[in-house]
Amino acid sequence: RAAGLGAVWAALADAIERRIGDCNAQELANIAWAFARAEHRSSALFDALAAAAEKRAADFNPQELSNTVHAFAKAGHSSPALFAAVAEASGRRLAEFTPQGLANTVWAFATADVASHAFFEAVAAAALSRLSAFNPQDLASTAYAFAKAAHASPALFEQIGASAARRLPSFTPQGL
């Protein structure tokens, strides 16, 4: 049965690759998310998705930007040009991201080992201005991402620590 599903995913990937130019931003993000979630890592499909998303990154909304890089990081598919395009498109719109979107995006950059000092600085500034809206998972993911990327942001870490200390009872064991 698993082999049959693999064949279905492979056929689907081939069909999508042929029609990738017909996909809008939401469809590109959803396809990347679905294939990453299903753990079907078609390099050819992810390459095609990266090329299409890179060209249209400015058309993506914040959730689509976040979901796309999160999917690539989860799938372990390297695409420096896509991450650069997302950093540029996101940088101008970080105030529009939800706390979860900021946390997931910076997590994706750290997980994919994409070093972007300017992007991390911009995310730190955006997060600091509304850290009180972050839930425990957003706080933990953001702290993890900055630590994994070895990106020092003393003001952000101080505020995450203070916020986390006030909300320790609401943290899950994983968030601790």
Side-chain angles (χ1 to χ4, degrees), residues 94-103 125-140 142 156 159-160 162-164 166-167 170-171:
L94 288 173
E96 299 171 36
F97 279 65
T98 64
Q100 181 182 2
L102 283 174
L128 274 169
S129 70
R130 55 201 169 113
L131 212 52
S132 63
F134 280 52
N135 67 32
Q137 181 62 52
D138 300 333
L139 292 172
T142 301
L156 179 63
Q159 290 302 312
I160 286 174
S163 182
R166 286 190 302 275
R167 298 193 252 170
S170 64
F171 274 60

Coordinates of all heavy atoms in Angstrom, one line a residue, residues 94-103 125-140 142 156 159-160 162-164 166-167 170-171:
L94 N 7.1 42.6 7.4 CA 7.1 41.9 8.7 C 6.0 42.3 9.7 O 5.6 41.5 10.4 CB 8.5 41.9 9.3 CG 9.6 41.1 8.6 CD1 10.9 41.4 9.2 CD2 9.3 39.6 8.6
A95 N 5.6 43.5 9.6 CA 4.6 44.0 10.5 C 3.2 43.3 10.2 O 2.4 43.3 11.0 CB 4.4 45.5 10.4
E96 N 3.1 42.8 9.0 CA 1.9 42.1 8.6 C 1.9 40.6 9.0 O 0.8 40.0 9.0 CB 1.7 42.2 7.1 CG 1.6 43.5 6.5 CD 1.6 43.5 5.0 OE1 1.1 42.6 4.4 OE2 2.2 44.5 4.4
F97 N 3.0 40.1 9.4 CA 3.1 38.7 9.8 C 2.4 38.5 11.2 O 2.5 39.4 12.1 CB 4.5 38.2 9.9 CG 5.2 37.9 8.6 CD1 5.4 38.8 7.6 CD2 5.6 36.6 8.4 CE1 6.0 38.5 6.4 CE2 6.2 36.2 7.2 CZ 6.4 37.2 6.2
T98 N 1.8 37.4 11.4 CA 1.3 37.0 12.7 C 2.5 36.6 13.6 O 3.6 36.3 13.0 CB 0.3 35.8 12.7 OG1 1.1 34.7 12.2 CG2 -0.9 36.1 11.8
P99 N 2.4 36.6 14.9 CA 3.5 36.1 15.7 C 3.9 34.6 15.2 O 5.1 34.4 15.1 CB 2.9 36.1 17.1 CG 2.0 37.2 17.1 CD 1.3 37.1 15.7
Q100 N 2.9 33.8 15.0 CA 3.3 32.4 14.5 C 4.0 32.5 13.2 O 5.0 31.7 12.9 CB 2.0 31.6 14.4 CG 2.3 30.2 13.9 CD 1.1 29.3 13.7 OE1 0.0 29.8 13.9 NE2 1.3 28.0 13.4
G101 N 3.6 33.4 12.3 CA 4.3 33.5 11.0 C 5.7 34.0 11.1 O 6.6 33.5 10.5
L102 N 5.9 34.9 12.0 CA 7.3 35.4 12.3 C 8.2 34.2 12.8 O 9.3 34.0 12.4 CB 7.3 36.5 13.3 CG 7.0 37.9 12.8 CD1 6.9 38.9 14.0 CD2 8.0 38.4 11.7
A103 N 7.6 33.5 13.8 CA 8.3 32.4 14.5 C 8.6 31.3 13.5 O 9.7 30.8 13.4 CB 7.5 31.9 15.7
A125 N 13.5 43.0 15.4 CA 12.8 44.3 15.6 C 11.3 44.1 15.6 O 10.5 44.7 16.4 CB 13.3 45.3 14.6
A126 N 10.8 43.4 14.6 CA 9.3 43.2 14.5 C 8.8 42.4 15.6 O 7.7 42.7 16.1 CB 9.0 42.4 13.2
A127 N 9.5 41.4 16.1 CA 9.1 40.6 17.2 C 9.1 41.4 18.5 O 8.1 41.3 19.3 CB 10.0 39.4 17.4
L128 N 10.1 42.2 18.8 CA 10.2 43.0 20.0 C 9.0 43.9 20.1 O 8.5 44.2 21.2 CB 11.5 43.8 20.0 CG 12.7 43.1 20.5 CD1 14.0 43.9 20.3 CD2 12.5 42.8 22.0
S129 N 8.5 44.5 19.0 CA 7.4 45.5 19.1 C 6.1 44.8 19.5 O 5.2 45.6 19.8 CB 7.3 46.2 17.7 OG 6.8 45.3 16.7
R130 N 6.0 43.5 19.4 CA 4.7 42.9 19.8 C 4.9 41.5 20.4 O 4.0 40.6 20.2 CB 3.8 42.8 18.6 CG 4.4 42.1 17.4 CD 3.6 42.6 16.2 NE 4.3 42.1 15.0 CZ 3.8 41.2 14.1 NH1 2.6 40.7 14.3 NH2 4.5 40.9 13.1
L131 N 5.9 41.4 21.2 CA 6.2 40.1 21.9 C 5.1 39.6 22.8 O 4.9 38.4 23.0 CB 7.5 40.2 22.6 CG 8.4 38.9 22.7 CD1 8.6 38.3 21.4 CD2 9.7 39.3 23.4
S132 N 4.3 40.6 23.3 CA 3.2 40.2 24.2 C 2.1 39.4 23.5 O 1.4 38.7 24.1 CB 2.6 41.4 24.8 OG 2.0 42.3 23.8
A133 N 2.1 39.5 22.2 CA 1.1 38.7 21.4 C 1.6 37.3 21.1 O 0.8 36.5 20.6 CB 0.8 39.5 20.1
F134 N 2.8 37.0 21.3 CA 3.4 35.7 21.1 C 2.9 34.7 22.1 O 2.9 35.0 23.3 CB 4.9 35.7 21.1 CG 5.6 36.2 19.9 CD1 5.2 37.5 19.3 CD2 6.6 35.5 19.2 CE1 5.8 37.9 18.2 CE2 7.2 36.0 18.1 CZ 6.8 37.2 17.6
N135 N 2.5 33.5 21.6 CA 2.1 32.5 22.6 C 3.4 31.7 23.0 O 4.5 32.0 22.4 CB 1.0 31.5 22.0 CG 1.5 30.7 20.8 OD1 2.7 30.3 20.7 ND2 0.6 30.4 19.9
P136 N 3.3 30.8 24.0 CA 4.5 30.1 24.4 C 5.3 29.4 23.3 O 6.5 29.4 23.2 CB 4.0 29.1 25.4 CG 2.8 29.8 26.0 CD 2.2 30.5 24.8
Q137 N 4.5 28.8 22.3 CA 5.2 28.1 21.2 C 5.9 29.1 20.3 O 7.0 28.8 19.9 CB 4.2 27.3 20.4 CG 4.8 26.5 19.2 CD 5.8 25.5 19.7 OE1 5.5 24.7 20.5 NE2 7.0 25.5 19.2
D138 N 5.3 30.2 20.1 CA 6.0 31.3 19.2 C 7.3 31.8 19.9 O 8.3 32.0 19.3 CB 5.1 32.5 19.0 CG 3.8 32.1 18.3 OD1 3.7 31.1 17.5 OD2 2.8 32.8 18.5
L139 N 7.2 32.0 21.2 CA 8.4 32.4 22.0 C 9.5 31.4 21.9 O 10.6 31.7 21.6 CB 8.0 32.7 23.5 CG 7.1 33.8 23.8 CD1 6.7 33.8 25.2 CD2 7.8 35.1 23.4
A140 N 9.1 30.1 22.1 CA 10.1 29.0 22.1 C 10.7 28.9 20.7 O 11.9 28.7 20.6 CB 9.5 27.7 22.6
T142 N 10.9 31.1 18.3 CA 11.8 32.2 18.0 C 13.1 32.2 18.7 O 14.2 32.4 18.1 CB 11.0 33.5 18.3 OG1 9.8 33.6 17.6 CG2 11.9 34.8 18.0
L156 N 16.2 41.0 22.3 CA 15.1 40.0 22.0 C 15.1 38.9 23.0 O 14.1 38.5 23.6 CB 15.2 39.5 20.6 CG 14.2 38.4 20.2 CD1 12.8 39.0 20.2 CD2 14.5 37.8 18.9
Q159 N 13.8 40.1 26.4 CA 12.3 40.2 26.4 C 11.6 38.8 26.3 O 10.6 38.6 26.9 CB 11.9 41.1 25.3 CG 12.2 42.6 25.5 CD 11.7 43.1 26.8 OE1 10.5 42.9 27.1 NE2 12.5 43.7 27.6
I160 N 12.2 37.9 25.5 CA 11.6 36.6 25.5 C 11.7 35.9 26.9 O 10.7 35.3 27.3 CB 12.3 35.7 24.4 CG1 11.9 36.1 23.0 CG2 12.0 34.2 24.6 CD1 12.6 35.4 21.9
A162 N 11.8 37.4 29.8 CA 10.9 38.0 30.7 C 9.5 37.6 30.4 O 8.7 37.3 31.4 CB 11.0 39.6 30.6
S163 N 9.1 37.5 29.2 CA 7.8 37.1 28.8 C 7.5 35.7 29.2 O 6.5 35.3 29.7 CB 7.6 37.3 27.3 OG 6.3 37.0 26.9
A164 N 8.5 34.8 28.9 CA 8.4 33.4 29.2 C 8.3 33.2 30.7 O 7.5 32.4 31.2 CB 9.6 32.6 28.7
R166 N 7.0 35.1 32.9 CA 5.6 35.5 33.3 C 4.6 34.4 33.0 O 3.6 34.3 33.6 CB 5.2 36.8 32.7 CG 5.9 38.0 33.3 CD 5.2 39.3 32.8 NE 5.3 39.5 31.4 CZ 6.3 40.0 30.7 NH1 7.4 40.4 31.3 NH2 6.2 40.1 29.4
R167 N 4.9 33.6 31.9 CA 3.9 32.7 31.4 C 4.3 31.2 31.5 O 3.7 30.4 30.9 CB 3.7 33.0 29.9 CG 3.1 34.4 29.7 CD 2.6 34.5 28.3 NE 3.5 35.4 27.5 CZ 3.4 35.5 26.2 NH1 2.6 34.9 25.5 NH2 4.3 36.3 25.6
S170 N 1.8 28.3 31.4 CA 1.1 28.0 30.2 C 2.0 27.3 29.1 O 1.5 26.9 28.1 CB 0.5 29.3 29.6 OG 1.5 30.2 29.2
F171 N 3.2 27.1 29.4 CA 4.1 26.4 28.5 C 3.8 24.9 28.5 O 3.6 24.3 29.6 CB 5.6 26.6 28.8 CG 6.2 27.8 28.3 CD1 5.7 29.1 28.5 CD2 7.3 27.7 27.4 CE1 6.2 30.2 28.0 CE2 7.9 28.9 26.9 CZ 7.3 30.1 27.2

